[in-house]
Amino acid sequence: MNMKLRVALASVAIGMIGLVVGAAPASAKPKNQTIHVGAGDSIQAALDAANPGDTVDVAAGTYAESLTISKDGIRLVGHDTTLVPGTEPSPTGTGILVADVDLSGGEFPPPINHIVDGVTITGITIDGQDEQSTGVFVFGASNTTLSSDVAVNNEDYGFFANTSTGTTFTND
């Protein structure tokens, strides 16, 4: 086989390998998407659908629900957004729980499944309406950032971190 033919075949083979290796499956979801939550939508449903690293962007309004963030790198961003207790009482007594814990056994403190890392919450008002004991509870987490949030009418704490590292509160 002559040299030109060998070089041509090698180039085709390298190109085919690049196509196979570089191709993403059609079902792969791109990283770091933004999920928009509008009035009347469920913030928790958006958090459940989010992948680690996604942003859940919540429109202005009042949302009657308690939230649990148990995935790494989630950014919860509100815009004149208020969270009030839902019709179902919060199993943890919080407006927002940042933790991946096992609540099924009734143990206190509950066992930690994994350390939730890199969660950011900004622009959310948590109005406990004297029913929730804590506005935001960070438990078994690392590098959680709360910024420009407000906690009012909570029986015990507005913001509370326990068994966590690197939690920061700015302009709360």
Side-chain angles (χ1 to χ4, degrees), residues 12 74 136 145:
V12 169
I74 297 295
V136 178
T145 301

Side-chain angles (χ1 to χ4, degrees), residues 8-148:
L9 288 174
S11 295
V12 169
I14 290 170
M16 294 300 290
I17 291 170
L19 285 174
V20 171
V21 171
S27 63
K29 182 177 175 187
K31 299 271 184 194
N32 303 322
Q33 288 194 6
T34 298
I35 300 169
H36 297 282
V37 178
D41 293 338
S42 168
I43 301 169
Q44 187 63 56
L47 290 168
D48 292 344
N51 287 323
D54 284 354
T55 297
V56 175
D57 189 74
V58 185
T62 300
Y63 298 80
E65 59 185 312
S66 296
L67 308 176
T68 299
I69 303 173
S70 58
K71 298 175 185 171
D72 296 339
I74 297 295
R75 293 185 66 238
L76 177 62
V77 179
H79 305 278
D80 197 19
T81 303
T82 300
L83 192 65
V84 298
T87 55
E88 296 292 319
S90 167
T92 60
T94 62
I96 302 174
L97 173 65
V98 178
D100 182 8
V101 295
D102 181 1
L103 298 173
S104 66
E107 298 173 55
F108 187 81
I112 298 169
N113 295 323
H114 99 279
I115 302 296
V116 178
D117 184 55
V119 168
T120 299
I121 302 170
T122 186
I124 306 285
T125 295
I126 304 95
D127 185 346
Q129 299 185 348
D130 296 323
E131 294 179 24
Q132 294 175 335
S133 60
T134 303
V136 178
F137 186 16
V138 179
F139 182 75
S142 65
N143 305 313
T144 303
T145 301
L146 285 83
S147 175
S148 302

